[in-house]
Amino acid sequence: SMIAAGILDGDLLVWDSVRAPGKKDIVLLSIVIDGEEGVSVVRRIPNQEHGGYRYMKADGKRFPTEIDPGEKPAIAGVLVGVVRKTTS
């Protein structure tokens, strides 16, 4: 869940696979951890200590809360919109 970012369960997320991510953008990350490939929605945060960026996940169910850049994550897209289905 990424409620703090305004993303709720059941929302449809719109990604741009060409746009370069900016500071604190929410990105779709393709990553391999312990030989298992997966994707994760994370926030890209500047790393003040070592330069570059680190990636923070809202929940740690599938991946660690902080993803080590040594895991060689690849950005598959930048979040550009959220579509929420409403009930009438």
Side-chain angles (χ1 to χ4, degrees):
S1 148
M2 293 193 71
I3 294 171
I7 300 171
L8 305 178
D9 189 32
D11 285 352
L12 176 65
L13 305 180
V14 181
W15 301 97
D16 185 335
S17 61
V18 178
R19 180 177 156 207
K23 292 180 183 176
K24 297 189 179 182
D25 271 350
I26 295 175
V27 297
L28 182 63
L29 206 62
S30 174
I31 189 168
V32 176
I33 296 179
D34 297 330
E36 187 176 344
E37 186 174 348
V39 294
S40 185
V41 176
V42 297
R43 186 172 297 277
R44 184 175 183 249
I45 302 172
N47 187 336
Q48 302 296 334
E49 294 177 28
H50 306 289
Y53 290 89
R54 58 190 178 137
Y55 302 94
M56 299 295 291
K57 184 161 175 39
D59 63 32
K61 292 179 185 171
R62 177 82 172 99
F63 292 106
T65 302
E66 184 171 345
I67 297 171
D68 183 349
E71 298 286 352
K72 299 191 180 0
I75 295 173
V78 177
L79 183 67
V80 294
V82 177
V83 178
R84 183 159 299 132
K85 184 170 35 170
T86 59
T87 58
S88 42

